[in-house]
Amino acid sequence: MHPIATAVSVAHFIKDQIINGLRKSGLSSLFNTHEHRITNLTSPVSRDDLTCVAFEYSIVENMNPAEPREDNESKDDEANRLLPSSTDDDEAAFDARDKILIGDLESASVDFVPPFSWKKLWLFTGPGFLMSIAFLDPGNLEGDLQSGAIAGYSLLWLLMWATIMGLLIQLLSARIGVATGRNLAELCREEYPNWARLVLWFMAEVALIGADIQEVIGSAIAIQILSHGVLPLWAGVVITASDCFIFLFLENYGVRKLEAVFAVLIATMALSFAWMFGDTQPSGKELLLGILVPRLSSKTIRQAVGVVGCVIMPHNVFLHSALVQSRSVDPNNKGQVQEALNYYSIESSIALLISFMINLFVTTIFAKGFYGTDQANRIGLVNAGQYLQDKYGGGFLPILYIWGIGLLAAGQSSTITGTYAGQFIMGGFLNLRLKKWLRALITRSCAIVPTIIVALLFNTSEASLDILNEWLNVLQSIQIPFALIPLLTLVSKEQVMGVFRIGPVVERLAWTVAALVIVINGYLLLDFFVSEVRGLLVGFLVCTGTAAYVAFIVYLITRGDALPSTWFSIELSKRFAYNSN
């Protein structure tokens, strides 16, 4: 018999013996508490797992059924001794006690998918909206306003399709989290050798720090606007850093409370920018033409690249695969997994539709006010509020402060989700077993310290902050392949996903989207380095770094036959076979 089949048979036998032993020994509460862990013993197991389970089984067999159990406390102690918490071995995204129970999901049969329920949709609603905040961070808002000011309404169609591409990637991220019960960082830790795992972790942390700097500075700009310039940029950065402690405070009250706070922040953004949309009254005809008719010119190519490049945030891919585990879903129950995927697909689509509308509001507001004007090429996140105030004046509530409120909501919500993502990335790649407050403090410090330094160095002029933003966009663009390639590699593997691996059509579509995003960001990098890099030594260092960068991407793609079997790969394999003969 094959060794794996033997191991699974042994696991089945041990599982049945443990269940019978627990029942005979009068520990029915122990069985009920740990039923899902005992049942999961039939999943692929290692030698260490079998040794541990066999040891537990031997303890149960030697227990005296007639021995009285004095109280519930002794039973709990016995349970903890026999079946230790999984957090002793691996870092879990969510503890079992923190997960949200989904009605009768626990009693569903293995293959049965219940009909649609509004109540269940509501219970599954949350992770998609937290994920959508990355589409609304201050960096994206700056891309929106510059796109509207320079390109007018002409790139709205690209914004729509870029959001759809982002939805596809995020649905795959949710799929891998639900089907495996592990987040992408944890799976990368198991899939790749140590050196590659550490490189991927470093790249993910760098991308997170780059995004966090943009988000914190955006929030600090909003604080500066709302304080009427009394608080300088660095003070706003320090205030924003306190969101780490706000996050920890909210997390103690449960996942739903935290999701409710994010819902309020998203609603604040939507109301603020919708109010501005109503005040400025952009052209409805131009808006529809911009969405339905693709237009692109040489003058707007850079803004087009920025629109597409902003939709894929590397840390967000890792984040969504962890957030979906906040609901209690058994990865070994096909019916539960499929039902969860159905609800998450609906919820994520609604969340990104709302984020698209908010981005649409911002783009059309600045298209109406500044397209074709002298200020179009000078407008940025720092001076956008003042330009709006000069253009549209005051009123009952001055547009400058409405902009500040929306920007503050975007900055605060995105920095808190950045803290969340940092915990999952560090915990998943490094398998750290730290207290939540310590882990959040470490991940927040990794981003806040460089942010304060950057705020002090670049808070000299609007131009310096624009240069900083360009460098940060480049920094995040570099990291995109190191989130997309592992995701598409793992979600296509039957050994990882089982029956929930994606089909060939979705696989080819996903790789096409990934290639498009990588190529577009590659163009942004090339354009940036051609215009900014000066000197022979710097040029040599850039070329050396680029060679190492491309080599690592090739390694990730070729390892484990990541690419789908297209005609090109088939022809390539034939040629290699012919040459070897």
Side-chain angles (χ1 to χ4, degrees):
M1 184 181 292
H2 194 276
I4 295 178
T6 304
V8 172
S9 299
V10 172
H12 272 289
F13 171 76
I14 293 175
K15 179 198 73 172
D16 294 335
Q17 294 302 316
I18 289 178
I19 292 173
N20 293 333
L22 292 175
R23 283 173 171 162
K24 290 177 182 178
S25 304
L27 291 179
S28 57
S29 62
L30 173 61
F31 170 73
N32 293 332
T33 302
H34 297 282
E35 179 180 7
H36 67 284
R37 293 191 60 226
I38 297 170
T39 306
N40 288 348
L41 291 175
T42 56
S43 60
V45 289
S46 65
R47 181 179 298 177
D48 292 339
D49 293 330
L50 288 175
T51 304
C52 178
V53 172
F55 174 72
E56 292 171 353
Y57 163 60
S58 66
I59 294 175
V60 173
E61 279 291 290
N62 293 323
M63 284 168 37
N64 183 5
E67 182 179 341
R69 298 296 186 264
E70 295 181 358
D71 51 29
N72 290 333
E73 185 176 352
S74 63
K75 292 182 181 180
D76 291 338
D77 291 341
E78 200 71 46
N80 292 331
R81 184 170 66 87
L82 292 174
L83 295 171
S85 173
S86 61
T87 56
D88 292 341
D89 300 319
D90 291 309
E91 177 69 22
F94 292 91
D95 294 334
R97 64 178 179 273
D98 295 331
K99 293 187 178 184
I100 298 169
L101 298 177
I102 311 294
D104 60 345
L105 202 61
E106 299 295 333
S107 60
S109 64
V110 173
D111 295 316
F112 175 69
V113 180
F116 176 81
S117 165
W118 287 104
K119 180 182 178 181
K120 283 189 179 180
L121 178 61
W122 171 249
L123 291 173
F124 276 106
T125 298
F129 282 87
L130 268 68
M131 169 273 295
S132 71
I133 288 171
F135 290 70
L136 300 169
D137 69 357
N140 274 24
L141 296 183
E142 183 164 31
D144 292 337
L145 65 89
Q146 289 177 340
S147 171
I150 296 173
Y153 301 87
S154 63
L155 296 181
L156 293 179
W157 65 276
L158 191 59
L159 175 63
M160 179 182 71
W161 284 105
T163 305
I164 293 173
M165 289 192 295
L167 174 63
L168 173 62
I169 297 300
Q170 294 303 149
L171 289 179
L172 294 180
S173 176
R175 187 180 191 88
I176 202 169
V178 175
T180 65
R182 306 173 76 80
N183 63 57
L184 181 58
E186 292 173 321
L187 292 170
C188 287
R189 187 183 75 228
E190 298 172 354
E191 174 72 14
Y192 296 101
N194 283 338
W195 71 269
R197 170 178 62 87
L198 292 175
V199 172
L200 288 172
W201 168 69
F202 176 76
M203 292 298 186
E205 290 289 353
V206 169
L208 180 60
I209 290 172
D212 217 9
I213 290 174
Q214 284 184 314
E215 293 158 358
V216 170
I217 288 181
S219 188
I221 291 171
I223 292 173
Q224 193 174 42
I225 291 172
L226 295 174
S227 68
H228 206 63
V230 173
L231 293 174
L233 196 66
W234 66 266
V237 170
V238 174
I239 293 171
T240 305
S242 64
D243 66 8
C244 170
F245 303 101
I246 297 172
F247 163 76
L248 290 170
F249 175 75
L250 293 173
E251 196 177 25
N252 289 332
Y253 288 91
V255 176
R256 292 300 270 179
K257 301 292 191 301
L258 191 64
E259 291 170 351
V261 171
F262 284 111
V264 171
L265 292 171
I266 293 174
T268 301
M269 279 187 274
L271 290 173
S272 299
F273 298 131
W275 186 317
M276 293 171 63
F277 182 85
D279 275 353
T280 56
Q281 296 182 347
S283 169
K285 178 182 176 181
E286 289 293 332
L287 189 155
L288 288 175
L289 286 174
I291 292 176
L292 299 176
V293 180
R295 289 177 287 174
L296 189 63
S297 68
S298 58
K299 295 180 180 179
T300 61
I301 187 69
R302 191 162 187 171
Q303 282 66 44
V305 169
V307 167
V308 177
C310 285
V311 298
I312 306 296
M313 304 290 284
H315 71 274
N316 207 38
V317 177
F318 290 99
L319 175 65
H320 200 198
S321 65
L323 291 175
V324 294
Q325 294 173 46
S326 60
R327 273 59 178 174
S328 182
V329 176
D330 181 7
N332 296 304
N333 189 310
K334 296 178 185 178
Q336 287 187 23
V337 172
Q338 187 58 59
E339 183 179 18
L341 291 176
N342 294 342
Y343 285 115
Y344 280 135
S345 299
I346 298 171
E347 182 240 4
S348 297
S349 300
I350 295 172
L352 287 192
L353 175 62
I354 294 173
S355 75
F356 169 70
M357 294 301 298
I358 293 174
N359 286 314
L360 182 75
F361 288 155
V362 176
T363 303
T364 53
I365 288 166
F366 286 88
K368 170 66 184 300
F370 303 101
Y371 177 59
T373 65
D374 295 336
Q375 299 113 324
N377 290 309
R378 299 196 302 268
I379 198 164
L381 204 61
V382 179
N383 55 21
Q386 193 57 53
Y387 277 142
L388 286 169
Q389 183 71 10
D390 295 341
K391 181 77 174 181
Y392 296 104
F396 172 72
L397 185 59
I399 197 169
L400 171 66
Y401 296 114
I402 301 175
W403 167 255
I405 291 170
L407 182 59
L408 181 63
Q412 285 294 326
S413 58
S414 55
T415 51
I416 297 176
T417 54
T419 303
Y420 225 173
Q423 292 191 73
F424 295 132
I425 289 172
M426 183 175 287
F429 275 111
L430 305 182
N431 194 25
L432 295 180
R433 295 186 294 274
L434 300 174
K435 296 292 184 180
K436 286 184 178 180
W437 67 268
L438 181 58
R439 188 172 50 178
L441 189 62
I442 292 173
T443 54
R444 171 48 76 222
S445 299
C446 288
I448 288 298
V449 172
T451 303
I452 293 176
I453 296 172
V454 163
L456 292 173
L457 291 176
F458 285 86
N459 190 25
T460 55
S461 66
E462 295 173 2
S464 63
L465 284 172
D466 288 339
I467 292 172
L468 169 65
N469 190 59
E470 288 183 6
W471 277 99
L472 292 174
N473 286 337
V474 167
L475 185 68
Q476 292 177 79
S477 298
I478 291 173
Q479 317 305 326
I480 287 177
F482 306 127
L484 289 186
I485 294 173
L487 172 66
L488 299 186
T489 300
L490 292 168
V491 82
S492 306
K493 278 192 170 185
E494 189 173 0
Q495 301 95 316
V496 175
M497 300 293 293
V499 297
F500 292 100
R501 73 176 294 274
I502 56 175
V505 175
V506 177
E507 185 180 1
R508 291 189 180 95
L509 179 61
W511 276 105
T512 302
V513 169
L516 182 62
V517 172
I518 292 172
V519 168
I520 287 174
N521 281 277
Y523 171 84
L524 177 64
L525 294 175
L526 181 63
D527 180 64
F528 178 79
F529 284 124
V530 167
S531 60
E532 296 293 334
V533 173
R534 296 287 184 272
L536 185 61
L537 178 60
V538 177
F540 173 76
L541 292 175
V542 169
C543 290
T544 304
T546 302
Y549 175 78
V550 172
F552 189 55
I553 291 177
V554 172
Y555 166 79
L556 292 176
I557 293 175
T558 56
R559 190 182 189 280
D561 299 324
L563 285 174
S565 299
T566 59
W567 66 270
F568 177 76
S569 59
I570 293 173
E571 287 297 321
L572 199 62
S573 62
K574 286 181 179 178
R575 288 180 182 276
F576 274 115
Y578 176 78
N579 291 334
S580 61
N581 293 331

